[in-house]
Amino acid sequence: MKIVILYIVLIGVLTGCANMNGIDQTERAPLLTAAQVGAQKQNIAWPIERWWQRYQDEELTQLIEQALASSPDVRVTQARLAQAMAWVDQREAMQGPELDAQFTAQRKRYAEQYDAGAPLAGHYGSTLLVGTELRYTFDFWGEQRAALQAALGEAAARSAEVQEARLVLSSRLAANWFELGRLLAAKRLMQEALAVRVHTLNLVEKRVRAGLDTETELKQAQGDLPATERNIAKLEAQIRLQRNALTALAGLPVGALGDAAPQSLYAPAQILPAMVPAELLGRRPDVVASRWRVEAAAHDVEVAKAEFYPNISLRAFFGFAKQSTSVGLSDWLHAGSRMYGIEPAFSLPIFDAGRLRARLRTRQAELDEAVELYNHTLLSAVHEVAEQMISLEALVPQREAQTQTLAARQAAYEVATRQYQSGLTDYLNVLSAQDALLYEKQQQLDIAVQAQSLSVALIRALGGGFDGADIETNFVGM
């Protein structure tokens, strides 16, 4: 008891030798609090895990789910998560006591003037030892608890990174899938244009034979066909390249998507939040991962601070030990061979040439970095969501105007065709009306695909979409 009291007094005297005075924390506060980021604790159906099902395209659903199951990028993040969870288990185990069993046996000749006295000196003897040892380190200053919380924070961050990898892969696949749909629709549009130009050529040939048109109109109509066929060939090459890009992204063999085609070019009605609260963005996987890394870095600072305080541990052992000139075990396990004891240990840093202070400054700088990275991630998310929402809202009047323009171009083409058939206008007016109509159809196609792409981009920006159940929303018709 006197020894324990002496240790405690000695600790009190020496505590000021290694200290953290003058090391100030400088990091800025995170833009969201831990309570605001705690989406996993809230009973809200958001974000939507399989958001791609809202497009009602079975091929797209199968493609994304197959890619998620086999993607190396997703598997890498899952392996990192497994590493982090193993480290959590290790940190948790370090909080408990350690119990070891040991057994040693030795046979040797003892020196007459060094190893032992009579009767072992100058003879061969045996040393046998069997016992158990219990070790426990007291966590008075919270070092082990802080280390465990830091490990849990890193594991949570890596879990969010798994979701981020899944979201990035699925959104890229969806965007590429819809681009394939645009190319296929553009090819169909060109094929329709080719059929119209063939029909027009036949009409011009008849009028030339009837003496109503000249060779000039005939050559003009004949020249339109190769240009349209060239555009179709170019689109076919782009379609093959796009399908190849999809197979590579999904981890499929070459040619696996040779006949793949999206089912629809139109995005469903898009639900938009009337405003984007910080808590909504706080559920994005990359924002969540950054926030958890702030938590982990803060606990690492606590670990570094705890290293300035004394380390107190306890060792208890019990067993049997014997030295003998014989090799038998008959008289080994008896009361005279017993050994046991309790060994408290105290260690206190007194002088370390500044290593502990440097380590604490490093941990605090890492915390500063984690906070700034988190704030940057959150601000980037705000701007990304705002950009997609503005773009989606701007598409609504564009689409309405495009619908009216297309109807006018269609009517103009029909009028020009009838007038040409009646001999009231020349072929150039028909050709001009055809080109204007084809252009407006292409514009309508581009707007439809842009709506799909922006829909996917908004889902990506919001971390997987949302159902609007708990947030005031607006609707944008697509």
Side-chain angles (χ1 to χ4, degrees):
M1 186 64 182
K2 293 181 178 180
I3 295 177
V4 174
I5 295 175
L6 178 62
Y7 271 120
I8 294 175
V9 172
L10 184 61
I11 289 169
V13 172
L14 296 178
T15 298
C17 296
N19 64 80
M20 61 190 82
N21 293 336
I23 303 179
D24 298 324
Q25 187 169 322
T26 61
E27 84 280 352
R28 292 171 51 193
L31 297 181
L32 286 186
T33 64
Q36 290 174 312
V37 182
Q40 67 280 0
K41 299 179 181 178
Q42 301 181 25
N43 187 20
I44 300 176
W46 188 99
I48 301 171
E49 178 69 19
R50 304 175 70 192
W51 56 266
W52 50 86
Q53 290 183 331
R54 70 197 302 269
Y55 295 98
Q56 299 180 0
D57 190 327
E58 288 300 322
E59 278 193 272
L60 175 61
T61 295
Q62 293 176 6
L63 180 65
I64 290 179
E65 292 182 355
Q66 184 175 0
L68 292 176
S70 59
S71 169
D73 291 338
V74 175
R75 288 185 175 182
V76 166
T77 58
Q78 290 172 339
R80 289 173 179 167
L81 173 59
Q83 296 172 17
M85 293 305 299
W87 182 242
V88 169
D89 293 340
Q90 182 177 345
R91 281 296 186 182
E92 190 171 16
M94 291 175 66
Q95 291 187 316
E98 296 181 65
L99 180 63
D100 295 335
Q102 53 182 312
F103 173 79
T104 60
Q106 184 183 57
R107 180 72 174 173
K108 72 172 186 177
R109 183 184 183 279
Y110 291 92
E112 290 87 343
Q113 299 180 1
Y114 175 74
D115 283 331
L120 295 176
H123 296 85
Y124 286 93
S126 300
T127 300
L128 300 174
L129 171 65
V130 63
T132 60
E133 180 176 296
L134 176 68
R135 293 183 300 276
Y136 182 72
T137 300
F138 295 95
D139 190 28
F140 291 128
W141 324 116
E143 178 180 357
Q144 295 177 5
R145 293 190 297 274
L148 175 59
Q149 291 300 317
L152 287 169
E154 180 63 24
R158 295 193 180 187
S159 177
E161 286 177 347
V162 173
Q163 297 302 319
E164 174 68 6
R166 290 172 59 88
L167 179 60
V168 169
L169 177 60
S170 58
S171 59
R172 288 181 62 190
L173 278 168
N176 280 270
W177 181 256
F178 295 140
E179 174 61 17
L180 174 62
R182 184 193 71 81
L183 293 172
L184 289 170
K187 178 185 174 182
R188 290 192 295 269
L189 188 59
M190 280 296 166
Q191 289 172 335
E192 292 175 5
L194 180 62
V196 170
R197 294 194 189 283
V198 169
H199 174 74
T200 303
L201 176 61
N202 293 334
L203 178 61
V204 172
E205 289 174 343
K206 290 179 182 179
R207 289 175 59 85
V208 169
R209 288 193 295 268
L212 300 175
D213 276 337
T214 65
E215 288 293 324
T216 301
E217 285 81 8
L218 179 60
K219 295 299 182 183
Q220 182 69 48
Q222 290 174 341
D224 292 337
L225 295 181
T228 306
E229 291 172 346
R230 183 181 66 248
N231 290 334
I232 292 175
K234 184 187 298 184
L235 286 169
E236 288 176 343
Q238 292 175 351
I239 288 169
R240 289 195 297 269
L241 290 173
Q242 188 66 21
R243 283 175 172 156
N244 184 66
L246 276 168
T247 57
L249 190 59
L252 299 174
V254 177
L257 299 176
D259 299 324
Q263 297 178 6
S264 173
L265 283 176
Y266 296 94
Q270 182 68 52
I271 304 175
L272 295 182
M275 60 178 297
V276 182
E279 293 85 349
L280 186 64
L281 291 177
R283 295 162 181 158
R284 271 178 52 138
D286 55 343
V287 174
V288 172
S290 296
R291 176 62 195 180
W292 276 115
R293 287 214 158 85
V294 173
E295 296 290 333
H299 288 296
D300 282 334
V301 170
E302 296 303 317
V303 172
K305 289 180 178 180
E307 291 176 348
F308 284 83
Y309 298 106
N311 184 46
I312 305 173
S313 60
L314 180 66
R315 173 177 172 265
F317 58 91
F318 174 82
F320 297 89
K322 184 174 178 59
Q323 288 181 326
S324 174
T325 56
S326 66
V327 295
L329 301 177
S330 58
D331 60 344
W332 180 44
L333 299 176
H334 60 76
S337 299
R338 285 181 301 174
M339 63 174 186
Y340 49 86
I342 296 178
E343 181 182 312
F346 299 85
S347 63
L348 176 69
I350 298 177
F351 177 76
D352 63 354
R355 283 188 290 271
L356 288 178
R357 293 174 61 85
R359 189 176 302 144
L360 177 57
R361 287 196 301 270
T362 300
R363 295 292 179 263
Q364 289 184 337
E366 290 173 350
L367 176 56
D368 293 342
E369 179 187 16
V371 170
E372 295 302 335
L373 287 174
Y374 168 75
N375 290 339
H376 172 75
T377 302
L378 183 59
L379 290 174
S380 297
V382 171
H383 291 294
E384 186 178 350
V385 171
E387 180 180 349
Q388 306 309 326
M389 290 176 60
I390 292 171
S391 299
L392 272 170
E393 290 174 344
L395 274 185
V396 177
Q398 293 181 41
R399 184 169 186 176
E400 293 174 352
Q402 177 59 31
T403 301
Q404 297 174 2
T405 303
L406 181 60
R409 295 300 186 189
Q410 181 69 41
Y413 169 69
E414 293 173 355
V415 169
T417 302
R418 288 195 300 268
Q419 289 178 343
Y420 177 70
Q421 291 173 343
S422 302
L424 299 177
T425 188
D426 57 19
Y427 176 71
L428 291 179
N429 286 333
V430 176
L431 181 60
S432 176
Q434 280 183 352
D435 291 340
L437 178 59
L438 180 62
Y439 175 79
E440 295 304 332
K441 286 184 176 181
Q442 183 65 52
Q443 290 296 107
Q444 184 185 48
L445 172 63
D446 290 344
I447 290 176
V449 175
Q450 188 179 2
Q452 278 188 324
S453 300
L454 288 174
S455 173
V456 173
L458 180 61
I459 289 172
R460 164 71 180 89
L462 290 173
F466 72 103
D467 59 8
D470 61 328
I471 297 172
E472 182 184 354
T473 56
N474 294 328
F475 288 85
V476 176
M478 288 294 126

